[in-house]
Each structure stands twice: as structure tokens, then as C-alpha cells.
Amino acid sequence: MILFDDVWFSYTPNHPVLREISIEISPGEVVALMGENGAGKTTLVKHINGLLKPSRGTVFIDGVDTRSTSTAALARKVGFVFQNADHQLFADTIEGEVAFALRNLGFPSDEVQERVSQYLERFDLARYKEQSPFLLSGGERKRLALASVLCVEPTILILDEPTQAQDAKQKLKLAQLVDSFRRSDSIILLVTHDVEFAVQVVDRLLLLSKGCLLADGAPRQVLGNPDLLRRARLLPPQLTQLAHKLADKVPTFPRDIIALEEAVTATSKLLAKR
Amino acid sequence: MSIEIDHLSFSYRGSKTKVLDDITLSLPRGSFTGLVGPSGCGKTTLARCLNGLIPHFYPGEMTGNVIINEWNTIDYAAYELAQKVGLVFQNPENQLVAPNVEREIAFGPENLGVPRQEIRRRVEELIRNIRLEEIRDKAPFELSGGEQQRVAIAATLALQPEILVLDEPTSNLDPLSAFELLQLLHRLNREKLLTIILIEHRLELVAPLAQELVVLDEGRVIAKGPTREVLMEEKVAEVGVAIPKVVQLAKKLNRPHLIQACPLSVESAVKAILEELKR
């Protein structure tokens, strides 16, 4: 469980980057953290693995105050995939990259081997396993970073912009991966600008703007509020925008559309009526 | 300034895979082309061929030719090509070098010996145009990902290239900033006749702006042509290109007039549906 209790944080005195953040996330939840560039999203998630400690207030991970524990201890629990994969890739081979954390945490070598091949397969990277990570494309490096964190099977997984540079197929795989986590007792926190992906996979959406928590609720509820979104420099999903514009002309048209099937049903109904 | 790519193939040293495999393309001056395709299909490599980073910087085996307005990239150094073709990288951190934003924008023209007055003018114009006033004195590492991306674009434009290649420029941007950035590119394309090649996964952003799409898969061109036509081709969706939701909606509704209209933006989809309603 993740618990933020009235957390404030500043890098320099008198310039709080986070203000009054109180959040509780329970096992099994898939949550998106969204907000404008510079809103404080990355600063907030760095409190979860203890890279940052609050200036005021407390962060508890599974009941333990992050001030009273080490980043190393938290690393077993909290997996963090950075926004920029190059910040975490360093091994000579792709295989070695995935094996690194496993070896470090003392997994037996047959288990290391097994997990390495399992995760390379899962992320569609097995064919490159002996190559250098730096021969991979931007999107592939991103997947490698993901594989090397996931192979440790953390109970809290933080993904900073996981869909960046990913095509539709890879996004679908990522959605399936998130689903497989949902069924376990883990927490997934996605930091993302990808509204379309978020509506598809998350149960709950946190909206951060200028360091403050602007909204915390179901995606449909948060994304259906254009004024709130505008403050966090987000745009509603394309089909929600369409629904709002159509409803302005045809009042019977439903506004709260987020998924393609809903839009198809509502539009077919509208066109059938005439 | 036109781009002619003729039977271009390339593999990086240390790898047998042909990242680009016999690519032939012709992009006229002033065009706005979206370059799309699944992750790892060769988009970034193709971008590197356009400003001479390949073959001059990245070792590997290249065959075929890339001609930028009669200049064969093999015969010109990267710094010469940089004045014609600006490349904005996928990761802006990799191209920011100066202590602050102003100096960053001035860095390119300073290196090319552009007169002081002129550098000053360009810097001010770009700070205004790309709205960097508030961060002009900040260091690149103090900036958010989105701000860094805008600075990288400004620094590239400071060389006044006639062709601008952008490799996923919106990937670090919040949606509204991404939208504004693409509006800026659209304006530069129309007003300055800047030829633009945009690599982008978020097709809902590109589709309303790009006249043409080129789709790569495994280093080959599998589709090219006017945006509308390309988006309707089944194979484009099959390779993993994210077809915009409004286009998917039009396809699913399966009405001839809607499909023909093939709305590329929310506005044109609303218009097409309302027209269908009156029909």
C-alpha cells in the first residue's frame, strides 16, 4: 500500500513543487498520474521508491515511513521504469541488462536464466539478446528497461511514460501486461500523457497540476470534465471530444463517451433515427 | 528544397540486419510528410540519413543515394548538411549543450560564424515564436521534458534549415503542448515553406496536418500517399500503426459517405456525421 499524508516537497526553499498531497493506493489498483509538463509528476513518484523524501508530511510504503528505510530496501518492493530508458541501461548485452538486477538481488543462476529468457520473449526482444542495448531503437530500449525492472517482479510498479515511442501493437501488449498485474495484489502507477491509453487500462486517475492534486477519481468522471483537463493541459480522448461536440448540436447525444464501441453504438443509433 | 531518396539501404556496424531496405522516396519542397511505422521499423535511421549523420557519423554499410536539392549527402560534411536539414532528436537531452536557453539557440549559428547582430535577431525571433520568454535564462537541466523539446526545436531552427526533420518531437509533451507544437510546425510549413518530415506515433495529431504519409515496416516502405488514402489501407493498421479513433469510427459505421469523407480530425468527423444525418 502507498500512503501520502499531507506531503510537501521543495528542491529549493520556498518553491514547493508538491503541496498538500494526500493519496492512498491499495493493492490491486491500476492508477494513472497525469498532468502538465512540470506539474510535479516525476517528483511525486520519486517519493515512492525513496529517491526523494518529503520536506513536510510522510510517505508510507506498506506501513513503513520512507525516511526510516533505505532506497535499497525499497528497490525490492518498488520497480521504477524511468521516462528515459537511456538513464537506466548500461550493460554490454541485452541479456546482461535483464540479468543484472536479478543477480544483484541474489537469485540462483538457473532462475536468472529462466527469467531472462521469459522476459525477453515477453517484450519481443529475444532475437537481439546478444546485441548491445544501444543498437536498439528508442521504442525497443524502452521495452528493455521495462523487462529489466519487471523481471524482479516488484509489488509496486511505477512506469514513467511507458507508451512513449510505442506503436499500437506494443501498446496493446503493455495493456495486457497491466491487466495481468491487476489480477495480482500489486499496484501499478502509470505516469502518462497518453489519455487514450489511460482510459483503456486504469481504474483511477490522479490529476496533478502545479504541484497540487486537482482530481482523484474514475477516468470517465475526470476526463469528462474539460475545464479540469484544460487546467492540467490535457485534452479529452478524441471520441469524448467528438461526443461533446455532437451533443452541442444534437442534445440527445450522450456526452460521456470514452471507448470506440460506445461511440459506434451512439452514432449508429443517431443515424438510424433519422 | 526537395529530397530524393534512391534505393537506400543501410545496416549499422555490428549488425547484419538491414535497418533500411531499398527505400525510394521523393519529397517535394514545402511538403509536410508524416513518417510512421511500428517501433524499430527504421524511422529514426531514415531521419539520420537525411542530414548526413548517416553515413558520416554512424558507421555501417550504406548503398543507394540521398539527394538534398542536388546535393548527394555522401559528398557533403554533416556541418554543411546541417544548414539545409535540421534534425530534432527523439531525446532532446542528447542535443542540448549550452548553459542557458538563449545560448543554446545561439550555439549553432555561432559555430557557423553568423554575424553577431543576426544571431541576436534570430534568437529573439525564436524566443518569441516558440514562446520561451519565461525560461530564456534557465539551464537545460532545469527544464521539464516538454520545455527541453521546444528549446531543441528553437536551436535547430536557428540554423534556418529549409528542411526540418523531427523524431517524435511530442513524446515528452503534455497533450495541449503537443497540439500547440504541431500547430507551430503547421505554421512554419505554410508561412516559411519549410519542408517538414515528422516522425510520430500519435497519428491523431499528425493526420489533420500532414498532406502525405509514408509507412515503414522492417525497413521498407509499405505504403505512401495522401494521408486519407493511406489511413484507409488495411495493411497500415495491421503493422501496428495507431489509426486515429475518428477514422476507426468512420470505418466501423461503414457508411459510404462517411468512409469517403474519412475524417482526420474531431471537427471534420462531427461535420461528416451531421451531414450524414441530413442526407
Side-chain angles (χ1 to χ4, degrees), chain B residues 26-168:
Chain B
S26 171
L27 308 173
R29 174 165 192 262
S31 55
F32 191 137
T33 307
L35 179 58
V36 301
S39 153
C41 72
K43 302 184 294 292
T44 298
T45 304
L46 184 57
R48 288 172 180 160
C49 291
L50 297 177
N51 76 339
L53 281 179
I54 291 175
H56 302 299
F57 182 77
Y58 288 95
E61 192 182 327
M62 172 174 152
T63 57
N65 295 300
V66 178
I67 316 282
I68 307 292
N69 222 25
E70 294 171 4
W71 285 19
N72 191 323
T73 57
I74 293 172
D75 303 328
Y76 290 84
Y79 80 89
E80 292 172 298
L81 289 162
Q83 299 169 56
K84 307 222 176 264
V85 185
L87 174 61
V88 178
F89 297 175
Q90 197 166 23
N91 179 2
E93 273 179 41
N94 292 351
Q95 74 189 99
L96 300 178
V97 293
N100 66 47
V101 168
E102 245 176 73
R103 296 294 304 276
E104 185 66 49
I105 302 173
F107 182 79
E110 273 169 1
N111 266 313
L112 295 174
V114 174
R116 225 184 148 78
Q117 273 321 68
E118 171 61 14
I119 295 179
R120 195 118 288 284
R121 193 193 63 75
R122 287 189 199 175
V123 169
E124 290 310 317
E125 185 184 325
L126 285 162
I127 283 180
R128 215 172 34 245
N129 242 330
I130 308 195
R131 279 178 245 126
L132 303 170
E133 288 92 348
E134 282 180 25
I135 55 167
R136 65 187 295 159
D137 297 320
K138 286 199 176 174
F141 68 83
E142 290 179 278
L143 304 176
S144 72
E147 289 168 339
Q148 286 181 349
Q149 195 62 274
R150 271 154 56 215
V151 174
I153 290 172
T156 309
L157 288 176
L159 296 174
Q160 300 191 325
E162 289 169 65
I163 297 168
L164 186 61
V165 185
L166 304 107
D167 192 352
E168 300 202 41

Side-chain angles (χ1 to χ4, degrees), chain A residues 34-38 41 83-84 86-87 127-128 131 135 137-141 143 161 163-171 193-196 200 229-230 232-235 238-239 241-243 245-246 249-250 258-261 263-265 267-268 270-272 274, chain B residues 12-15 17 37-41 44 48 90-91 93-94 144-147 168 171-177 179-180 201-202 204-205 237-249 252-253 255 258 264-267 269-270 273-274 276-279:
Chain A
M34 309 189 82
E36 76 273 4
N37 289 136
K41 303 184 294 295
Q83 183 169 8
N84 181 350
D86 293 346
H87 290 174
R127 68 200 129 119
Y128 304 126
Q131 280 188 19
L135 282 175
S137 78
E140 288 162 344
R141 285 207 294 276
R143 295 206 307 271
E161 293 286 358
T163 62
Q164 199 180 82
Q166 299 305 322
D167 59 57
K169 271 188 191 161
Q170 298 301 337
K171 278 194 197 182
H193 289 311
D194 192 335
V195 185
E196 306 283 351
Q200 198 189 332
L229 292 186
R230 193 149 289 272
R233 299 186 61 79
L234 289 175
L235 292 166
Q238 216 179 21
L239 295 174
Q241 294 179 41
L242 177 99
K245 288 208 160 78
L246 273 175
K249 304 274 184 197
V250 187
I258 53 178
L260 180 62
E261 305 74 56
V264 172
T265 310
T267 319
S268 306
L270 174 73
L271 293 175
R274 106 204 117 92
Chain B
Y12 288 98
R13 185 183 290 166
S15 162
T17 323
S39 153
C41 72
T44 298
R48 288 172 180 160
Q90 197 166 23
N91 179 2
E93 273 179 41
N94 292 351
S144 72
E147 289 168 339
E168 300 202 41
S171 61
N172 291 325
L173 302 191
D174 58 55
L176 216 51
S177 304
F179 176 77
E180 288 167 1
H201 279 295
R202 285 145 89 172
E204 75 274 12
L205 289 173
E238 281 162 17
V239 299
V241 171
I243 306 298
K245 288 280 172 7
V246 288
V247 175
Q248 291 186 32
L249 176 67
K252 288 239 165 157
L253 289 170
R255 292 180 174 243
L258 275 183
L264 298 177
S265 65
V266 172
E267 289 70 24
V270 170
I273 292 171
L274 291 174
E276 183 73 12
L277 202 55
K278 283 187 210 134
R279 206 176 288 281

